[in-house]
């Protein structure tokens, strides 16, 4: 079965540093998402992306965050200047046709900000 | 999206059917019921969804009451690998880019 691939699986960074989390969605999918989950808390929506632009973003997704689909296969989440509270598991997801919320999630990147 | 209510935790014996309830009394006519699960901090995994008819796939069955105010996810023969947090989500499924909003779910523990 096709799957969403995320790299790296773990990322450790210093506060204030920039990080880029990478995702390769399933190849024929059209809609892309980032979610995050702080340890012990809910899975939270960050941003959705369609047709090369952001469709919706949450309050969490402030100016420090950006997303990009640079080459038609990768989908990246950049955090410009990381904070301690950005430590979380970040999940990428994608889906295909309109009219369905059947999302395929990657296995996540565990980001630790020290 | 309509609010859903699930019990925080449940146990089920291995090999038995696991029945996970979900209340969604304010669900609107165009909202589907989706079920996902999350096994030990892995990415959530889609299980099944439905609008008003009962649905079955290779993973589970979904029973939706006639008034659509509640539903039950059934795992027919639970195994230890079914231990996970199960999320019931009501979401509009139409032309658009609606996000899924995850609640706290039900932590299902399968007991050997």
């Amino acid at each position: 079965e096709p799957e969403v691939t995320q790299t790296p699986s773990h990322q450790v960074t210093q506060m204030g540093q920039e990080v880029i989390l990478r995702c390769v969605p399933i190849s024929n999918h059209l809609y892309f998402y980032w979610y995050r989950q702080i340890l012990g808390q809910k899975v939270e929506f960050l941003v959705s992306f369609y047709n090369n632009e952001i469709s919706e973003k949450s309050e969490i997704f402030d100016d420090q965050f950006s997303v990009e689909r640079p080459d038609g296969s990768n989908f990246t989440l950049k955090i410009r200047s990381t904070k301690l509270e950005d430590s979380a598991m970040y999940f990428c997801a994608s889906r295909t046709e309109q009219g369905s919320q059947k999302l395929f999630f990657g296995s996540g990147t565990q980001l630790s900000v020290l | 999206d309509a609010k859903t209510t699930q019990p925080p935790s449940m146990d089920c014996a291995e090999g038995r059917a696991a029945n996970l309830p979900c209340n969604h009394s304010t669900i609107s006519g165009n909202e589907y019921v989706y079920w996902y699960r999350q096994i030990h901090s892995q990415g959530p995994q889609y299980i099944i969804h439905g609008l008003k008819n009962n649905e079955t796939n290779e993973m589970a069955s979904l029973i939706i009451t006639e008034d659509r105010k509640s539903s039950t996810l059934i795992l027919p023969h639970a195994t230890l690998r079914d231990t996970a947090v199960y999320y019931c989500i009501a979401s509009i499924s139409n032309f658009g880019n609606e996000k899924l909003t995850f609640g706290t779910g039900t932590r299902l523990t399968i007991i050997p």
Side-chain angles (χ1 to χ4, degrees), chain B residues 27 34 53 82 112:
Chain B
I27 197 168
Y34 283 83
N53 297 323
D82 292 322

Side-chain angles (χ1 to χ4, degrees), chain A:
Chain A
E1 185 173 82
E3 58 181 32
V4 175
T5 306
Q6 290 188 244
T7 54
S9 56
H10 292 84
Q11 174 91 49
V12 180
T13 190
Q14 296 290 324
M15 191 169 56
Q17 294 295 305
E18 174 184 287
V19 294
I20 298 176
L21 309 183
R22 302 182 192 277
C23 170
V24 179
I26 295 171
S27 62
N28 63 341
H29 284 191
L30 304 174
Y31 298 86
F32 312 108
Y33 305 81
W34 284 99
Y35 285 77
R36 79 171 187 190
Q37 186 174 32
I38 295 169
L39 186 63
Q41 298 187 24
K42 296 180 193 179
V43 177
E44 301 175 288
F45 168 78
L46 292 178
V47 66
S48 57
F49 191 86
Y50 170 70
N51 202 23
N52 279 321
E53 61 183 25
I54 290 174
S55 304
E56 186 176 356
K57 57 185 181 180
S58 71
E59 291 179 356
I60 303 167
F61 195 89
D62 62 20
D63 292 345
Q64 294 301 311
F65 290 85
S66 62
V67 288
E68 198 176 36
R69 188 156 158 80
D71 56 12
S73 61
N74 292 287
F75 180 50
T76 61
L77 174 69
K78 183 194 290 187
I79 309 174
R80 252 181 284 281
S81 177
T82 50
K83 308 186 193 80
L84 296 176
E85 55 264 37
D86 294 328
S87 294
M89 180 74 91
Y90 287 80
F91 295 110
C92 172
S94 68
R95 69 176 174 93
T96 181
E97 73 278 1
Q98 294 170 329
S100 169
Q101 294 289 352
K102 182 178 177 181
L103 268 63
F104 291 78
F105 283 81
S107 54
T109 294
Q110 178 64 57
L111 177 65
S112 298
V113 182
L114 306 178

Side-chain angles (χ1 to χ4, degrees), chain B residues 63-93:
Chain B
I63 308 297
I64 302 174
T65 58
E66 197 168 333
D67 63 9
R68 302 209 327 120
K69 292 186 177 182
S70 66
S71 60
T72 301
L73 178 75
I74 301 171
L75 308 178
H77 304 287
T79 70
L80 298 178
R81 288 182 295 179
D82 292 322
T83 292
V85 179
Y86 287 76
Y87 301 100
C88 168
I89 304 168
S91 181
I92 291 172
S93 195

Side-chain angles (χ1 to χ4, degrees), chain B residues 6-32:
Chain B
Q6 300 177 252
S9 63
M10 291 181 63
D11 293 338
C12 178
E14 186 179 16
R16 304 296 293 268
N19 295 276
L20 292 93
C22 179
N23 285 318
H24 31 79
S25 58
T26 61
I27 197 168
S28 60
N30 60 351
E31 284 185 302
Y32 286 68

